[in-house]
Coordinates of all heavy atoms in Angstrom, one line a residue:
Chain B
S948 N -10.5 16.9 16.9 CA -9.8 18.2 17.4 C -9.6 19.0 16.2 O -9.1 18.6 15.1 CB -8.5 17.9 18.0 OG -8.7 16.9 19.1
V949 N -9.9 20.3 16.3 CA -9.6 21.3 15.2 C -8.2 21.9 15.5 O -8.0 22.5 16.5 CB -10.7 22.3 15.2 CG1 -10.4 23.4 14.1 CG2 -12.0 21.7 14.9
I950 N -7.3 21.7 14.5 CA -6.0 22.2 14.7 C -5.8 23.5 13.9 O -6.1 23.6 12.8 CB -5.0 21.2 14.1 CG1 -5.2 19.8 14.8 CG2 -3.5 21.6 14.3 CD1 -4.7 18.6 14.0
D951 N -5.3 24.5 14.6 CA -5.2 25.8 14.0 C -3.8 26.4 14.1 O -3.0 26.0 15.0 CB -6.2 26.8 14.7 CG -6.5 28.0 13.8 OD1 -5.9 28.1 12.7 OD2 -7.4 28.7 14.2
E952 N -3.4 27.2 13.2 CA -2.1 27.9 13.3 C -2.3 29.4 13.4 O -1.3 30.1 13.6 CB -1.3 27.6 12.0 CG -1.0 26.2 11.8 CD -0.2 26.0 10.5 OE1 0.1 27.0 9.8 OE2 0.1 24.8 10.2
R953 N -3.5 29.9 13.2 CA -3.7 31.3 13.2 C -4.4 31.7 14.5 O -5.1 30.9 15.1 CB -4.7 31.7 12.1 CG -4.2 31.4 10.7 CD -5.3 31.4 9.7 NE -6.1 30.2 9.7 CZ -7.2 30.0 8.9 NH1 -7.5 30.9 8.1 NH2 -7.8 28.9 9.0
S954 N -4.1 32.9 15.0 CA -4.7 33.2 16.3 C -6.0 33.9 16.2 O -6.8 34.0 17.1 CB -3.7 34.1 17.1 OG -3.4 35.2 16.4
N955 N -6.4 34.3 15.0 CA -7.7 34.9 14.8 C -8.7 33.8 14.7 O -8.5 32.7 14.3 CB -7.8 35.8 13.6 CG -7.4 35.1 12.3 OD1 -6.6 34.1 12.4 ND2 -7.8 35.5 11.2
L984 N -12.7 27.1 21.1 CA -12.0 27.5 22.3 C -11.3 28.9 22.0 O -11.0 29.2 20.9 CB -10.8 26.5 22.6 CG -11.3 25.1 22.9 CD1 -10.1 24.2 23.0 CD2 -12.1 25.1 24.2
A985 N -11.2 29.6 23.1 CA -10.5 30.9 23.0 C -9.0 30.7 22.8 O -8.5 29.6 22.9 CB -10.7 31.7 24.3
D986 N -8.3 31.8 22.4 CA -6.9 31.7 22.1 C -6.1 31.0 23.2 O -6.4 31.2 24.4 CB -6.4 33.1 21.9 CG -5.0 33.1 21.3 OD1 -5.0 33.1 20.0 OD2 -4.0 33.2 22.1
P987 N -5.1 30.3 22.9 CA -4.2 29.6 23.9 C -3.7 30.5 24.9 O -3.4 30.1 26.1 CB -3.1 28.9 23.1 CG -3.6 28.8 21.7 CD -4.6 29.9 21.5
P1006 N -0.6 28.5 28.2 CA -0.8 27.1 27.9 C 0.3 26.2 28.4 O 1.4 26.7 28.6 CB -0.8 27.0 26.3 CG 0.0 28.2 25.9 CD -0.2 29.3 27.0
V1008 N 2.0 24.0 27.0 CA 3.2 23.9 26.1 C 2.9 24.9 24.9 O 1.8 24.9 24.4 CB 3.5 22.5 25.6 CG1 2.2 21.8 25.0 CG2 4.6 22.4 24.6
T1010 N 3.1 26.0 21.3 CA 3.3 25.3 20.0 C 2.8 26.3 18.9 O 2.0 27.1 19.1 CB 2.5 24.0 19.9 OG1 1.2 24.2 20.2 CG2 3.1 22.9 20.8
K1011 N 3.3 26.0 17.7 CA 2.8 26.8 16.5 C 1.4 26.4 16.2 O 0.5 27.2 15.9 CB 3.7 26.5 15.3 CG 3.6 27.4 14.2 CD 4.8 27.2 13.3 CE 4.5 27.4 11.8 NZ 3.6 26.4 11.3
E1012 N 1.1 25.1 16.3 CA -0.3 24.6 16.1 C -0.9 24.4 17.5 O -0.3 23.9 18.4 CB -0.2 23.3 15.3 CG 0.3 23.4 13.9 CD 0.3 22.1 13.1 OE1 0.6 21.1 13.7 OE2 0.0 22.2 11.9
F1013 N -2.2 24.7 17.5 CA -2.9 24.5 18.8 C -4.3 24.1 18.6 O -4.8 24.1 17.4 CB -2.9 25.8 19.6 CG -3.4 27.0 18.8 CD1 -4.8 27.3 18.9 CD2 -2.6 27.8 18.1 CE1 -5.3 28.3 18.2 CE2 -3.2 28.9 17.4 CZ -4.5 29.1 17.4
L1014 N -5.0 23.7 19.7 CA -6.3 23.2 19.6 C -7.3 24.4 19.6 O -7.3 25.2 20.5 CB -6.6 22.3 20.9 CG -8.0 21.7 20.9 CD1 -8.1 20.6 19.9 CD2 -8.2 21.0 22.3
A1015 N -8.1 24.5 18.5 CA -8.9 25.7 18.4 C -10.4 25.4 18.7 O -11.2 26.3 18.9 CB -8.8 26.2 17.0
G1016 N -10.7 24.1 18.8 CA -12.1 23.7 19.0 C -12.2 22.2 18.8 O -11.2 21.5 18.5
R1041 N -9.9 24.0 8.4 CA -8.7 23.8 9.2 C -8.5 22.2 9.2 O -9.4 21.5 8.9 CB -8.9 24.3 10.6 CG -8.6 25.8 10.8 CD -9.3 26.4 12.0 NE -9.0 27.8 12.1 CZ -9.6 28.8 11.4 NH1 -10.6 28.5 10.5 NH2 -9.3 30.0 11.6
K1042 N -7.2 21.9 9.6 CA -6.9 20.5 9.8 C -7.6 20.0 11.0 O -7.8 20.7 12.0 CB -5.4 20.3 10.0 CG -4.6 20.4 8.8 CD -3.2 19.8 9.1 CE -2.4 20.6 10.1 NZ -1.0 20.1 10.2

Side-chain angles (χ1 to χ4, degrees):
Chain B
S948 308
V949 177
I950 303 157
D951 203 352
E952 299 178 1
R953 298 165 283 179
S954 55
N955 56 335
L984 297 173
D986 191 87
V1008 54
T1010 51
K1011 196 166 141 296
E1012 295 182 323
F1013 56 87
L1014 185 69
R1041 278 156 180 82
K1042 282 196 294 186

